[in-house]
């Protein structure tokens, strides 16, 4: 092929098989390629066969024969080279070693079932589509959603056995399970949670019936609280600041907040920081039932959600929960100290109509009462009796080993458990995961072999805060940051069919753009996903790319383990999927929301993910755009620059951050040039570059804070004083008028005043983490030049 054409090679099952095929081809007189010109090679006649040679002295004969010997040697060498070249071209089609990024414009002339010939990118695309189409996604989603599969339940154990048996029946190199014993919180049937009115004398009165008694908030604080009710919109920091500005004090009150925009855990943490004594969370019809032509959530349904501001088992923070091992009895700092409980829209309606006080801003108004007031309202008495239980959970793994870099893993995962039917929450993701496992297993049987290992994982305990995935990361952190290349999450993949989002690390944005141009949209025939996006917004990145949310398993991979991650989601245009985390998240409702397009949308996610996996597992050079983080730093520096004048007045400067950013940009450009000028066939050199590229995300984990104290150490995505968001929140305090309504990146209310000592520490943590990333990207220590 031309030098600019990179190809995939077919891999046979064994070297012996290739030798036997070549031998058969030779015996059958296989036809040589058209461009090869056969020639007859004749050497000199043996000594003693020519007349008169016997009488010539050996020295003279040698001198006269020398030109003939040289010519003969050249002819033999040339013939051997040509024969070797042709033989190599034929045998290399099965070697599988020289795989580079492939061209999308090249087509193979051989069929998919042929065990000879070159596998081009178009071949692999066709092979993937062929095998993905053989599995019935819709039936799998329906069957899984019918199972009771709460973590620790008998239904979950049965489903785990079925999935384990399926993986064991496929052509995978390794199949195993990983069991953790974690602390999960469940309602107490003997002592249910309750909500009562309280009269003006403080006496507990009539009970409000909780119409959805199974709904609760795992990891809520337990106990009884009594206080007046205040309406706090979505419970964000700016909402509580707005309450104070309108003369309503949230401290000492129960807050009524709407579900949506932020997670349950963030709402409760913000309320606790503001001094509230408890939180009631309800689904407002404004957010869940806005379109009359689409199915909406019943007014008697509450929404389930955990309130641990973190991930994993909150009773063993920083440590894996293997084999019931007893770790130091330290609870996660993300556990709330106030009770929280979900209620239905009907109960919220009865509460809202009793509120007096200032009228809520128009953007706070919902669809339950003609006019929402802020309160405070009548007294309420909330009782939460949830109890903690040590529960075994099992993650299930299947692996296809790579042939060139088997110690580098491309990880694909999906949550298996669910509270309620969980059709959209986990049944879709599990079905897509199983389809991808079967498709890639079939591709391996048909000659495809990835360079890097593909690791398929079914997670348990996802509804309690990505417990299964986080415990696995904690257990193998020292290994995974060296070996995991990328994590792809299949959770929340299909929540609609109108628009597409990719919540991702910046390293994957360029690759996602390329893949979007290869996959047809499920609702516009003949158009790719990329064409659908740019039709409504020329800036595809603005339309599609979103930051990783904390309630996703992908977040822990990036913010805790330093592995770039992505989570794909199809969504509705004008409202959220109304049934997520409710008992109404059934296959039938999901099918109705998508108007019968569920199989097509799920298939689009499978195709998108499958093509992403091919590129990540088989490209010679990892397609991760390590230069992107220079742009990320530049955008954040733009926000920091607003306060440079205020800092200068105090004798402080941000120059060190600017210098570290410059060093990172120079290191990225240097590495890019090295790769461009290198020999792509040099396996050792390519592996060295891949190792540097795949660890870029890990470089942004602050090495100066403890994983046990600050598990999410990523300076851009994490939580804590070491993050860029925390530094920006602190800088806002330089301007008192700006700090009254902060957009707090940390999700919590800021400190009271600016502290120079804290600022210096934050600046040091941020600067040296960024400088460390630049140093690591530069390569060997003799190539590092800190330009401070």
């Amino acid at each position: 092929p031309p030098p600019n054409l990179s190809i995939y090679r077919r891999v046979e099952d064994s070297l012996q098989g290739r030798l036997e095929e070549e031998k058969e081809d030779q015996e059958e007189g296989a036809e040589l390629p058209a461009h090869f010109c056969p020639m007859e090679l004749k050497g000199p006649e043996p000594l003693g066969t020519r007349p008169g040679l016997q009488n010539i002295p050996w020295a003279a004969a040698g001198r006269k024969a020398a030109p003939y010997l040289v010519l003969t040697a050249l002819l033999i060498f040339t013939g051997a080279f040509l024969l070797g070249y042709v033989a190599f071209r034929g045998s290399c089609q099965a070697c599988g070693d020289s795989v580079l990024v492939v061209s999308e414009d090249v087509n193979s002339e051989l069929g998919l079932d042929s065990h000879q010939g070159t596998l081009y990118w178009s071949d692999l695309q066709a092979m993937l589509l062929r095998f993905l189409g053989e599995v019935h996604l819709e039936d799998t989603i329906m069957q899984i959603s019918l199972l009771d599969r709460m973590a620790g339940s008998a239904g979950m154990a049965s489903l785990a056995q079925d999935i384990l048996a399926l993986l064991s029946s496929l052509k995978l190199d390794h199949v195993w399970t990983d069991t953790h014993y974690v602390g999960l919180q469940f309602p107490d049937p003997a002592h249910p949670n309750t909500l009562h009115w309280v009269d003006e004398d403080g006496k507990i009165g009539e009970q409000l019936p909780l119409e959805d008694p199974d709904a609760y908030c795992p990891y809520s604080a337990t106990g009884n609280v009594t206080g007046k009710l205040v309406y706090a919109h979505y419970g964000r920091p700016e909402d509580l600041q707005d309450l104070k500005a309108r003369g309503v004090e949230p401290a000492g009150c129960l807050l009524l907040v709407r579900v949506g925009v932020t997670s349950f855990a963030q709402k409760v943490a913000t309320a606790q920081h503001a001094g509230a004594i408890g939180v009631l969370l309800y689904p407002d019809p404004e957010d869940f039932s806005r379109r009359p032509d689409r199915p909406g959530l019943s007014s008697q349904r509450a929404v389930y959600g955990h309130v641990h501001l973190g991930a994993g088992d909150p009773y063993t923070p920083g440590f894996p929960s293997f084999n019931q091992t007893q770790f130091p009895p330290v609870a996660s700092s993300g556990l709330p100290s106030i009770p929280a409980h979900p209620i239905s829209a009907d109960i919220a309606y009865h509460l809202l109509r009793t509120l007096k006080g200032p009228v809520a801003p128009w953007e706070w108004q919902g669809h339950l009462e003609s006019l929402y007031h802020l309160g405070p309202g009548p007294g309420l008495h909330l009782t939460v009796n949830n109890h903690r239980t040590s529960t075994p959970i099992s993650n299930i793994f299947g692996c296809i080993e790579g042939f060139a870099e088997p110690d580098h893993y491309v990880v694909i995962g999906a949550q298996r458990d669910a509270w309620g039917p969980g059709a959209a929450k986990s049944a879709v993701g599990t079905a897509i995961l199983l389809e991808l496992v079967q498709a890639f297993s079939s591709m391996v049987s048909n000659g495809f072999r990835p360079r890097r290992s593909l690791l398929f994982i079914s997670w348990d305990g996802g509804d309690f805060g990505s417990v299964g995935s986080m415990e696995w990361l904690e257990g193998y952190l020292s290994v995974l940051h060296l070996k995991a290349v990328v994590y792809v999450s299949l959770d929340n993949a299909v929540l609609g069919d109108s628009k597409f989002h990719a919540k991702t690390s910046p390293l994957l944005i360029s690759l996602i753009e390329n893949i979007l141009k290869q996959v047809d949209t499920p609702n516009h025939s003949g158009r790719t996903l990329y064409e659908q996006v740019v039709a409504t917004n020329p800036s595809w990145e603005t339309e599609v790319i979103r930051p990783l949310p904390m309630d996703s398993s992908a977040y822990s991979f990036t913010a805790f383990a330093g592995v770039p991650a992505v989570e794909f989601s199809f969504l509705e245009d004008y409202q959220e999927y109304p049934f997520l985390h409710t008992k109404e998240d059934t296959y039938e409702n999901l099918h109705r929301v998508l108007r019968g397009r569920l199989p097509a949308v799920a298939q689009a996610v499978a195709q998108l993910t499958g093509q992403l996996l091919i590129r990540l597992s088989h490209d010679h050079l990892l397609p991760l755009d390590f230069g992107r983080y220079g742009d990320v730093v530049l955008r954040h520096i733009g926000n920091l620059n607003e306060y440079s004048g205020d800092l200068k007045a105090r004798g402080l400067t941000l120059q060190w951050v600017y210098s570290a950013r410059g060093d990172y940009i120079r290191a990225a450009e240097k590495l890019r040039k090295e790769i461009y000028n290198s020999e792509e066939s040099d396996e050792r050199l390519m592996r060295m570059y891949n190792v540097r590229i795949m660890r870029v995300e890990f470089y942004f984990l602050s090495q100066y804070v403890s994983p046990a104290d600050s598990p999410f150490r990523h300076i851009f995505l994490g939580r804590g004083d070491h993050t860029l968001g925390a530094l920006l929140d602190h800088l806002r305090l330089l301007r008192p008028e700006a700090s009254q309504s902060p957009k707090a990146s940390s999700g919590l209310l800021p400190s009271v005043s600016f502290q120079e000592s804290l600022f210096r520490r934050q600046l040091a943590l941020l600067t040296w983490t960024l400088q460390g990333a630049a140093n690591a990207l530069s390569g060997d220590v003799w190539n590092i030049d800190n330009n401070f």
Side-chain angles (χ1 to χ4, degrees):
N4 64 342
L5 174 62
S6 303
I7 58 177
Y8 284 95
R9 309 293 188 185
R10 287 194 181 275
V11 180
E12 297 299 327
D13 291 338
S14 66
L15 178 62
Q16 182 64 33
R18 294 200 299 270
L19 294 176
E20 291 175 0
E21 277 191 334
E22 292 171 6
K23 183 176 179 181
E24 291 173 2
D25 289 345
Q26 293 168 5
E27 291 174 355
E28 295 173 4
E31 184 179 348
L32 294 173
H35 64 269
F36 177 76
C37 300
M39 62 178 69
E40 183 180 359
L41 299 178
K42 293 185 178 180
E45 297 176 3
L47 292 176
T49 61
R50 293 183 187 177
L53 285 180
Q54 295 88 340
N55 301 323
I56 299 177
W58 285 107
R63 284 193 299 271
K64 291 184 177 181
Y68 298 101
L69 292 174
V70 172
L71 180 60
T72 302
L74 288 173
L75 289 172
I76 292 173
F77 175 81
T78 303
F81 175 82
L82 292 173
L83 288 171
Y85 175 73
V86 173
F88 174 78
R89 281 178 61 85
S91 63
C92 184
Q93 293 165 1
C95 70
D97 288 35
S98 306
V99 183
L100 305 176
V101 179
V102 296
S103 168
E104 292 87 350
D105 300 325
V106 181
N107 294 311
S108 170
E109 297 179 356
L110 297 177
L112 293 175
D113 294 324
S114 173
H115 286 274
Q116 295 181 353
T118 300
L119 273 176
Y120 297 110
W121 171 246
S122 58
D123 293 323
L124 293 174
Q125 284 180 308
M127 187 185 290
L128 175 69
L129 294 178
R130 170 185 170 186
F131 291 120
L132 283 177
E134 292 180 355
V135 181
H136 301 292
L137 263 174
E138 190 175 19
D139 291 342
T140 307
I141 296 170
M142 180 173 60
Q143 292 170 14
I144 293 176
S145 64
L146 293 175
L147 300 173
D148 175 17
R149 55 189 192 287
M150 190 79 164
S153 67
M156 167 63 23
S158 176
L159 178 59
Q161 288 300 318
D162 291 342
I163 292 177
L164 186 62
L166 174 62
L167 297 187
S168 300
S169 68
L170 300 175
K171 189 174 183 179
L172 304 179
D173 295 297
H174 308 284
V175 176
W176 75 100
T177 61
D178 207 17
T179 300
H180 300 264
Y181 294 83
V182 298
L184 304 183
Q185 201 184 67
F186 299 97
D188 185 350
H191 303 89
N193 302 332
T194 58
L195 182 65
H196 291 80
W197 294 108
V198 174
D199 61 25
E200 295 180 356
D201 298 328
K203 183 179 179 181
I204 297 176
E206 180 186 358
Q207 179 177 342
L208 285 96
L210 297 178
E211 298 166 310
D212 203 349
D214 294 332
Y216 73 110
C217 291
Y219 304 125
S220 163
T222 57
N224 307 314
V225 292
T226 301
K228 291 186 177 297
L229 186 69
V230 168
Y231 172 57
H233 200 211
Y234 291 112
R236 298 167 296 183
E238 56 265 38
D239 293 334
L240 298 192
Q241 289 285 7
D242 204 352
L243 274 177
K244 292 182 179 180
R246 295 173 185 274
V248 179
E249 179 57 53
C253 296
L254 275 166
L255 299 189
L256 178 65
V257 301
R258 285 157 63 162
V259 174
V261 182
T262 61
S263 70
F264 278 37
Q266 289 171 309
K267 296 175 191 295
V268 175
T270 303
Q272 176 180 315
H273 197 276
I277 61 172
V279 181
L280 298 173
L281 305 103
Y282 81 98
D284 198 291
E286 170 69 16
D287 305 305
F288 286 84
S289 306
R290 283 187 292 176
R291 296 188 60 177
D293 60 323
R294 299 290 178 90
L297 183 66
S298 167
S299 63
Q300 298 179 342
R301 287 295 184 189
V303 180
Y304 166 97
H306 76 88
V307 292
H308 172 218
L309 191 64
D313 182 356
Y315 304 109
T316 59
F319 301 96
S321 302
F322 282 124
N323 199 25
Q324 301 190 38
T325 305
Q326 296 300 309
F327 287 100
V330 178
S332 167
S333 60
L335 284 173
S337 59
I338 61 175
H341 199 277
I343 60 175
S344 68
D346 279 352
I347 298 299
Y349 167 74
H350 291 296
L351 297 177
L352 284 166
R353 64 186 299 188
T354 65
L355 290 181
K356 305 298 181 184
V359 175
W362 70 266
E363 63 270 16
W364 288 31
Q365 299 294 327
H367 281 177
L368 284 177
E369 178 70 8
S370 58
L371 199 61
Y372 287 20
H373 289 258
L374 299 178
L380 291 172
H381 181 79
L382 173 64
T383 301
V384 175
N385 293 320
N386 302 336
H387 63 96
R388 170 186 164 189
T389 304
S390 179
T391 307
I393 62 171
S394 295
N395 300 322
I396 305 171
F397 303 81
C399 177
I400 297 174
E401 273 198 35
F403 71 86
E405 301 176 40
D407 57 332
H408 290 164
Y409 317 143
V410 178
V411 187
I412 316 96
Q415 174 183 330
R416 186 175 71 252
D417 66 298
W419 180 85
K425 178 59 182 176
S426 63
V428 169
T430 300
I432 295 174
L433 178 73
L434 297 180
E435 175 149 342
L436 286 169
V437 174
Q438 295 177 81
F440 276 90
S441 175
S442 299
M443 290 173 67
V444 168
S445 299
N446 280 262
F448 170 69
R449 194 68 176 173
R451 294 181 62 81
R452 301 170 194 91
S453 297
L454 287 164
L455 188 56
F456 300 91
I457 311 178
S458 175
W459 303 117
D460 198 354
D463 260 3
F464 290 85
S466 303
V467 174
S469 58
M470 186 64 176
E471 293 306 308
W472 186 68
L473 287 173
E474 289 177 338
Y476 303 100
L477 181 62
S478 58
V479 174
L480 290 173
H481 87 270
L482 298 172
K483 297 179 179 294
V485 177
V486 165
Y487 174 67
V488 182
S489 170
L490 296 173
D491 297 336
N492 303 313
V494 180
L495 302 175
D497 67 345
S498 301
K499 58 184 178 180
F500 174 79
H501 284 170
K503 290 160 274 190
T504 183
S505 159
L507 292 173
L508 288 161
I509 292 177
S510 297
L511 178 58
I512 291 170
E513 178 182 9
N514 183 273
I515 298 297
L516 289 179
K517 296 176 180 178
Q518 309 291 324
V519 179
D520 290 337
T521 176
N523 54 1
H524 291 87
S525 178
R527 301 174 69 184
T528 65
L529 282 171
Y530 182 83
E531 291 169 341
Q532 175 185 339
V533 169
V534 296
T536 57
N537 189 340
S539 174
W540 81 272
E541 194 173 324
T542 303
E543 183 73 15
V544 171
I545 302 302
R546 297 289 184 273
L548 288 166
M550 179 178 275
D551 56 358
S552 165
S553 61
Y555 177 84
S556 297
F557 270 85
T558 300
F560 175 73
V563 177
V566 61
E567 180 178 287
F568 299 124
S569 295
F570 278 93
L571 307 165
E572 285 296 288
D573 253 335
Y574 302 106
Q575 71 174 33
E576 300 288 336
Y577 175 69
F579 308 117
L580 199 64
H581 293 125
T582 74
K583 288 291 183 68
E584 295 183 17
D585 183 16
T586 62
Y587 163 79
E588 291 77 16
N589 277 335
L590 180 60
H591 197 277
R592 286 169 56 208
V593 167
L594 271 74
R595 303 176 303 283
R597 303 193 55 78
L598 174 58
V601 180
Q603 185 79 351
V605 176
Q607 292 176 18
L608 183 71
T609 307
Q611 295 195 37
L612 191 79
L613 298 182
I614 292 174
R615 291 291 307 275
L616 289 169
S617 67
H618 219 293
D619 280 6
H620 200 77
L621 188 72
L622 280 172
L624 301 179
D625 191 354
F626 48 85
R628 280 273 182 172
Y629 265 115
D631 300 331
V632 172
V633 179
L634 184 60
R635 286 198 301 269
H636 284 292
I637 284 179
N639 295 326
L640 297 177
N641 279 340
E642 296 180 25
Y643 304 94
S644 57
D646 302 87
L647 291 172
K648 187 177 181 180
R650 293 171 174 259
L652 302 171
T653 179
L654 293 166
Q655 181 58 42
W656 310 122
V657 177
Y658 304 156
S659 297
R661 186 256 176 186
D663 281 353
Y664 182 86
I665 294 296
R666 285 186 287 274
E669 185 59 28
K670 178 184 175 184
L671 177 57
R672 197 186 305 278
K673 289 180 179 178
E674 286 181 18
I675 294 172
Y676 181 80
N677 295 321
S678 63
E679 179 57 53
E680 294 177 331
S681 60
D682 188 333
E683 289 286 339
R684 177 179 173 275
L685 190 60
M686 288 299 106
R687 180 179 174 87
M688 182 182 73
Y689 289 146
N690 281 337
V691 168
R692 284 162 69 181
I693 292 171
M694 67 181 278
R695 294 181 187 169
V696 166
E697 200 78 67
F698 179 77
Y699 302 153
F700 291 106
L701 300 187
S702 178
Q703 305 301 306
Y704 308 102
V705 295
S706 165
D709 298 332
S710 300
F712 303 118
R713 295 178 292 151
H714 202 287
I715 59 174
F716 300 119
L717 295 173
R719 298 185 65 85
D721 285 344
H722 61 281
T723 64
L724 197 148
L727 176 64
L728 185 58
D729 287 345
H730 194 188
L731 287 175
R732 288 192 179 102
L733 298 178
L734 289 168
R735 300 177 184 177
E737 71 282 358
S739 66
Q740 295 304 311
S741 57
K743 304 291 185 181
S745 302
S746 61
L748 299 177
L749 293 171
S751 303
V752 176
S753 61
F754 180 82
Q755 303 173 36
E756 183 175 325
S757 60
L758 176 59
F759 168 77
R760 289 181 179 274
R761 171 176 168 76
Q762 288 178 310
L763 188 62
L765 290 171
L766 179 66
T767 298
W768 282 108
T769 302
L770 182 56
Q771 186 64 46
N775 293 345
L777 202 60
S778 296
D780 298 305
V781 291
W782 49 83
N783 293 323
I784 297 173
D785 181 18
N786 289 334
N787 295 317
F788 275 88

